[in-house]
Amino acid sequence: MIKVFGIKNCDTMKKAFTWLEENGVAYEFHDYKKAGVAAAHLADWNARAGWEKLLNRRGLMWKKLTDEERADVDAAKALQLMAQYPSLIKRPVLDSGEQLLVGFSPETYAEELK
């Protein structure tokens, strides 16, 4: 079963949910703003996709961080920030067990989820 991680009220998440439902892709949703995201997931996702791809530097949460928090971000600091502020994780994160898709692109979903 595909697991979709994200925040329920996010517009990008809504687009991903719509695409998955319209294309008959079964999934289990994990809201990491409510349920949190285990450090084990972040370590695994970092190994599979890289922290640079996971860290959402365009969102409101990134802008709310202090200059000190945003300075000198490396893998360890990025993972710590994403664990502390799950909204910093790019959405959605779709994990099929074999592949990990970060962010939503209808073209990528169509190609990877057939």
Side-chain angles (χ1 to χ4, degrees), residues 1-2 44 48 94-101 112 114:
M1 168 80 62
I2 290 174
D44 176 53
R48 295 165 65 196
L94 189 146
D95 190 348
S96 70
E98 295 176 13
Q99 59 187 348
L100 188 75
L101 304 178
E112 299 294 331
K114 288 189 174 192

Side-chain angles (χ1 to χ4, degrees), residues 9-53:
N9 292 329
C10 169
D11 288 340
T12 305
M13 292 295 304
K14 290 175 185 176
K15 291 175 191 174
F17 292 143
T18 299
W19 190 96
L20 291 167
E21 288 159 13
E22 287 177 353
N23 288 276
V25 178
Y27 64 91
E28 178 183 310
F29 175 60
H30 178 89
D31 188 331
Y32 52 60
K33 193 160 188 178
K34 290 182 181 176
V37 60
H41 283 303
L42 286 172
D44 176 53
W45 296 347
N46 180 47
R48 295 165 65 196
W51 67 269
E52 297 94 337
K53 190 169 187 176

Side-chain angles (χ1 to χ4, degrees), residues 31-102:
D31 188 331
Y32 52 60
K33 193 160 188 178
K34 290 182 181 176
V37 60
H41 283 303
L42 286 172
D44 176 53
W45 296 347
N46 180 47
R48 295 165 65 196
W51 67 269
E52 297 94 337
K53 190 169 187 176
L54 289 167
L55 184 62
N56 182 3
R57 295 180 192 232
R58 293 186 189 172
L60 186 59
M61 188 69 235
W62 179 257
K63 293 173 183 148
K64 286 183 178 180
L65 295 177
T66 65
D67 289 341
E68 184 179 312
E69 287 174 312
R70 287 192 305 254
D72 302 321
V73 176
D74 60 7
K77 187 172 183 179
L79 294 176
Q80 179 266 322
L81 285 169
M82 288 185 280
Q84 185 176 356
Y85 306 110
S87 296
L88 287 174
I89 303 168
K90 200 173 285 182
R91 301 177 291 272
V93 175
L94 189 146
D95 190 348
S96 70
E98 295 176 13
Q99 59 187 348
L100 188 75
L101 304 178
V102 179

